[in-house]
Amino acid sequence: MNRREFLQVLAAASAAGMALDAHDVLAGQGGGRFYDLPRHGNVHFLHFTDCHAQLLPVWFREPNVNLGFGAAAGHVPHLVGEHLLKAFGIKPGSREAHAFTYLDFAQAAQTYGRVGGFAHLATLIKQLRAGRPGALLLDGGDTWQGSATALWTKGQDMVDACKLLGVDMMAPHWEFTLGAERVKQIVDNDFKGKIEFLAQNVKTADFGDPVFAPYTLREMNGVTVAVIGQAFPYTPIANPRWMVPDWSFGIQDDNMQKVVDEARAKGAQVVVVLSHNGMDVDLKMASRVTGIDAILGGHTHDGVPQPVKVKNAKGVTLVTNAGSNGKFLGVLDFDVRDGKVRGFSYKLLPVFANLLPADAGMAALIDKVRAPYKAKLEEKLAVTEGLLYRRGNFNGSWDQLILDAMVDVKGADIAFSPGFRWGTSILPGEAITFEQLMDQTAISYPQSTLTEMTGEQIKTILEDVGDNLFNPDPYYQQGGDMVRVGGMTYACDPNAKVGNRIHDMRLGDKPINAGKTYKVAGWAPVGEGATGEPIWEVVGGWLRDKRTVTPRKLNTPRLIGMDGNAGLA
């Protein structure tokens, strides 16, 4: 795109009411200055997480609802929109503002282009490694799940892509939904001698023996560094237990302290944790476990521009979170002298596909992976008139579409859809392809269901899921976002105690009767042996019949006591 075309795009966006930074748009065409990040110190880590198998550049809208409670209210990562921009001094309308917030998303996306893509990420990683000898590339997990090709190849497409990308270590979560046997097959064969699969908190359920290596030591520019892995602690609760029947999980602070101490005793001068806890859990862990220089976190998909410094009994730990969908790459540099960390530099770089040329080798691998499935992936199911996105504590327009389809197809009174955080976005006027539907639904337990539930059972489910999200102690937050609800309205008081958060449940104008039975549609059952057609068949058929999808009206709860919360736009 030449300068004149850029100015035309800028004028069109401005006419639509979007305040874009013209200098930022034009200066970004070359991309050189945007990614000019001078080396600092002598110990270097590159970190991405929660890419959810997105090999190609995507649209991805950040949330406008990310509530914080108690001590977390008004603090990272529970800042959205203008609150986040103000906290980090990011200029409204800038490229960074688009990357880190939902603001003016559709217009800004058309101006700044797609994000992520492994071919573009590969170029950025090579550029940064060239100026950072020995830099380690860390993958925070949720890598082998989230796309059609990852599901159909049982994660092999992502395994091969990560090997080519040059990943050194990874920590897991959704990887376990491929089943224990498949995970061990990859770790013992594909990864052997290439990528270290680290998880200090995964043990055998019988004798408590480590299933995977808890940590690794590396020499970098004369400095011994340790990387400790932390798998998602609540995998058997948030995902099917029967897929990993012989392994135990958990946060395991005490064991983490032992591992840190052991690594220090073996000469580690820098200790980092590659975590899939979620940022709130990482912040608490950093206050309790000593001797960790940084926690490079994932799971909650929070794109946080700068680390949080957490004080503990023996020092300070940096806590970061590097977003999702291949949209960001964290760069952490330590200055280590005389055996101690003397300083650090951190930057969370948005990966803009139009600023980074595609790496030829990675692009060829991606083309090869997609070739057998190309026609199926590119099938156009319908056109959307509104923006489709996931993310947010309560609902997204993609989730709403799934709920609406289930109610219609299943003949349900009410529909539930899991509060998954993964899933790409689609701009108004674009076609919904089968691939994009799979971006929202590609899991190994996709069955759709229709169940009769009493009003009391419905409330119990909402209260239980709500406590996973709203419990004031992050160590009891065991899942994703709130279950999405279709057909039924309700009120929610997140600050209330467990069992008292859900109120005023209604179907139309009528209150939900605790003793009455309702037909409830859902999908992604965690119990073994569930039957039902895959959710993508339910929604895919509905979209083919519709052909054009009008903007979705979000069914979100009436919130109580949340006025002024910086995590609510």
Side-chain angles (χ1 to χ4, degrees), residues 202-413:
V202 181
K203 311 283 179 54
T204 58
D206 49 9
F207 298 110
D209 296 324
V211 177
F212 308 102
Y215 72 102
T216 186
L217 294 172
R218 294 286 183 94
E219 290 292 322
M220 188 188 309
N221 304 316
V223 178
T224 302
V225 303
V227 178
I228 303 170
Q230 176 83 351
F232 179 55
Y234 297 113
T235 296
I237 297 173
N239 305 105
R241 175 64 179 162
W242 59 267
M243 292 182 170
V244 285
D246 301 321
W247 298 343
S248 68
F249 292 74
I251 296 172
Q252 301 187 24
D253 277 351
D254 291 344
N255 196 64
M256 176 65 80
Q257 187 67 69
K258 291 177 182 178
V259 174
V260 172
D261 294 343
E262 180 180 316
R264 291 286 185 186
K266 289 185 177 181
Q269 299 169 30
V270 175
V271 175
V272 302
V273 173
L274 178 60
S275 168
H276 207 92
N277 278 334
M279 191 160 184
D280 286 329
V281 177
D282 285 335
L283 290 168
K284 183 173 178 177
M285 175 178 277
S287 73
R288 291 161 60 95
V289 180
T290 62
I292 300 171
D293 292 299
I295 299 178
L296 302 175
H299 178 62
T300 38
H301 294 199
D302 301 306
V304 181
Q306 287 295 322
V308 177
K309 297 178 181 179
V310 179
K311 293 182 180 180
N312 53 54
K314 294 184 180 179
V316 174
T317 298
L318 306 175
V319 177
T320 74
N321 203 286
S324 66
N325 287 273
K327 184 177 177 180
F328 297 101
L329 181 69
V331 185
L332 176 60
D333 294 333
F334 282 116
D335 179 14
V336 182
R337 285 172 282 148
D338 302 322
K340 293 186 177 181
V341 174
R342 305 295 179 178
F344 78 94
S345 174
Y346 181 83
K347 182 77 171 180
L348 187 58
L349 292 172
V351 180
F352 285 104
N354 62 0
L355 298 187
L356 294 160
D359 177 79
M362 185 64 75
L365 174 64
I366 294 170
D367 287 344
K368 180 181 178 181
V369 165
R370 295 171 58 80
Y373 314 105
K374 193 171 187 295
K376 188 171 182 64
L377 293 170
E378 294 179 353
E379 179 194 358
K380 294 182 179 180
L381 303 175
V383 172
T384 178
E385 293 181 344
L387 174 67
L388 294 179
Y389 63 90
R390 186 174 270 171
R391 277 310 313 267
N393 288 157
F394 296 101
N395 208 349
S397 50
W398 246 122
D399 298 296
Q400 189 66 53
L401 185 152
I402 293 170
L403 293 166
D404 294 344
M406 284 196 294
V407 169
D408 287 352
V409 175
K410 295 286 189 179
D413 302 310

Side-chain angles (χ1 to χ4, degrees), residues 63-193:
N64 63 311
V65 184
N66 187 356
L67 296 174
F69 309 96
H75 297 286
V76 171
H78 303 289
L79 304 173
V80 299
E82 289 90 349
H83 297 291
L84 187 146
L85 298 184
K86 183 178 180 180
F88 292 101
I90 298 173
K91 187 176 182 180
S94 66
R95 190 178 294 275
E96 289 90 344
H98 171 53
F100 288 105
T101 73
Y102 70 92
L103 296 169
D104 297 311
F105 178 78
Q107 296 94 330
Q110 291 174 330
T111 301
Y112 295 125
R114 294 179 186 267
V115 294
F118 262 49
H120 307 276
L121 182 62
T123 297
L124 179 57
I125 289 169
K126 287 180 178 179
Q127 175 182 321
L128 292 167
R129 273 182 154 165
R132 288 169 171 76
L136 294 174
L137 177 59
L138 309 183
D139 172 3
D142 280 7
T143 305
W144 308 346
Q145 176 278 332
S147 73
T149 55
L151 181 67
W152 295 336
T153 66
K154 297 182 178 180
Q156 194 64 48
D157 63 334
M158 299 309 301
V159 169
D160 294 340
C162 286
K163 286 163 61 179
L164 184 59
L165 196 65
V167 169
D168 293 292
M169 299 109 187
M170 77 171 293
H173 170 204
W174 272 90
E175 286 68 24
F176 294 120
T177 63
L178 294 178
E181 183 178 350
R182 176 60 174 151
V183 171
K184 289 291 286 184
Q185 181 185 54
I186 292 171
V187 173
D188 295 341
N189 295 281
D190 298 80
F191 277 13
K192 189 174 182 179

Side-chain angles (χ1 to χ4, degrees), residues 413-414 458 462 485-492 502-512 554-558:
D413 302 310
I414 299 165
I458 292 168
L462 293 178
V485 180
M488 184 191 83
T489 61
Y490 68 102
C492 179
I502 306 303
H503 306 277
D504 194 26
M505 300 189 306
R506 292 177 177 271
L507 193 61
D509 294 330
K510 296 182 179 180
I512 294 290
L554 292 190
N555 182 40
T556 56
R558 175 173 57 85

